[in-house]
């Protein structure tokens, strides 16, 4: 995957600020995208997903934006809390055939109280 | 509900020793199964995936192998570990072929080869 051999970028924010985590995906034919949150020493957990027929989807305190023109995803976290500190991964999927999620590099979010 | 079990949680093994990590899924049938490795401070690298019993696809040639002896069991093995095999190993599952569903991850195994 593209993340092999690359250190994770880091985003540092103050508690209460809004956070924006970006991800560039590789396959223009991908039609399903997911954001995962991985806390230290744990497996990734699903946060929110979006299909390619949408450009925005909102959850609780999180919003995912999809720009298919430039193959870009973003995850916006409102009123960031210390508990949001984690590594965030985007994953892209291509429907049809075997299902293999391809993960982006990941971004380490550090929230300062 | 579906659950995924991965063990052991941590493992320290000497160089040259064998490895066997096991992953089982409950509450679903014919899942797609995956093994990922995550080196410290890095992203997720897909090692193997399986869409059915006895079917294994390898993404990265290396010192590891995988097997799927039962529908909901996925095993990661090595005959002789290398120092470079150290990392955080994650098992994951999903359902459906060609369907848009997320992958669900186990809690991972921290492997340290010394």
């Amino acid at each position: 995957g593209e993340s092999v051999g690359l250190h994770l970028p880091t985003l540092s924010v103050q508690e209460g600020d809004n956070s924006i985590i970006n991800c560039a995906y590789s396959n223009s034919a991908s039609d399903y995208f997911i954001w995962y949150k991985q806390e230290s020493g744990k497996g990734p957990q699903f946060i929110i997903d979006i299909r390619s027929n949408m450009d925005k989807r909102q959850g609780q305190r999180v919003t995912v934006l999809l720009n298919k023109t430039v193959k870009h995803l973003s995850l916006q976290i409102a009123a960031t809390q210390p508990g949001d500190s984690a590594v965030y991964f985007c994953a892209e999927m291509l429907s049809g055939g075997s299902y293999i999620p391809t993960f982006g590099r990941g971004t380490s979010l550090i929230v300062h109280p | 509900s579906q659950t995924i079990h991965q063990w052991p949680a941590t493992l320290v093994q000497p160089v040259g020793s064998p490895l066997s990590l096991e992953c089982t899924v409950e509450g679903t049938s014919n899942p797609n199964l995956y093994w990922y490795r995550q080196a410290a401070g890095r992203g997720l690298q897909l090692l193997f995936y399986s869409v059915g019993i006895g079917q294994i696809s390898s993404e990265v040639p290396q010192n590891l192998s995988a097997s799927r002896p039962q529908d909901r069991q996925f095993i990661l093995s090595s005959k002789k570990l290398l120092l470079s095999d150290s990392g955080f190993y994650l098992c994951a599952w999903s359902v459906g072929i060609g369907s848009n569903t997320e992958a669900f991850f186990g809690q991972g195994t921290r492997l340290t080869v010394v």
Side-chain angles (χ1 to χ4, degrees):
Chain A
E2 63 179 83
S3 63
V4 175
L6 299 174
H7 286 280
L8 299 175
T10 299
L11 174 65
S12 292
V13 300
Q14 290 296 128
E15 181 178 2
D17 288 350
N18 296 332
S19 302
I20 300 177
I21 300 171
N22 297 303
C23 176
Y25 63 92
S26 57
N27 189 343
S28 58
S30 294
D31 53 9
Y32 180 55
F33 305 89
I34 297 177
W35 278 100
Y36 286 90
K37 173 185 179 183
Q38 185 180 24
E39 297 177 342
S40 180
K42 298 183 179 179
Q45 298 292 315
F46 171 90
I47 301 174
I48 191 168
D49 60 358
I50 189 168
R51 303 187 192 284
S52 60
N53 60 352
M54 305 169 67
D55 53 21
K56 180 180 180 179
R57 190 170 187 212
Q58 288 185 296
Q60 187 177 17
R61 278 201 311 119
V62 295
T63 301
V64 55
L65 299 177
L66 173 62
N67 185 331
K68 295 183 288 293
T69 302
V70 295
K71 295 189 291 185
H72 183 267
L73 274 170
S74 68
L75 177 70
Q76 300 177 0
I77 305 175
T80 314
Q81 303 168 1
D84 295 326
S85 294
V87 176
Y88 290 81
F89 292 97
C90 68
E92 60 180 300
M93 281 129 254
L94 175 61
S95 61
S98 298
Y99 171 88
I100 304 173
T102 302
F103 286 84
R105 290 178 60 190
T107 296
S108 178
L109 176 66
I110 300 173
V111 182
H112 300 282
Chain B
S1 64
Q2 301 90 354
T3 56
I4 180 169
H5 302 281
Q6 187 181 339
W7 68 92
T10 59
L11 189 61
V12 179
Q13 291 284 98
V15 169
S17 64
L19 173 72
S20 181
L21 302 181
E22 188 164 345
C23 172
T24 60
V25 180
E26 296 177 357
T28 187
S29 296
N30 196 31
N32 302 315
L33 296 171
Y34 313 87
W35 278 110
Y36 286 86
R37 177 169 61 196
Q38 186 175 32
R42 286 172 163 76
L44 296 167
Q45 178 187 25
L46 179 64
L47 301 176
F48 302 96
Y49 70 94
S50 170
V51 298
I53 295 174
Q55 188 281 331
I56 307 294
S57 295
S58 174
E59 289 294 297
V60 182
Q62 52 199 316
N63 187 40
L64 302 169
S65 62
S67 62
R68 185 171 178 173
Q70 300 180 41
D71 180 43
R72 289 169 290 177
Q73 184 184 30
F74 206 23
I75 298 172
L76 183 69
S77 304
S78 174
K79 293 182 179 179
K80 289 185 179 181
L81 284 168
L82 306 172
L83 287 174
S84 57
D85 291 324
S86 294
F88 191 49
Y89 288 83
L90 289 157
C91 179
W93 71 274
S94 69
V95 292
I97 293 179
S99 64
N100 294 339
T101 62
E102 69 267 32
F104 300 91
F105 286 84
Q107 288 302 296
T109 296
R110 175 78 56 194
L111 172 65
T112 304
V113 183
V114 297

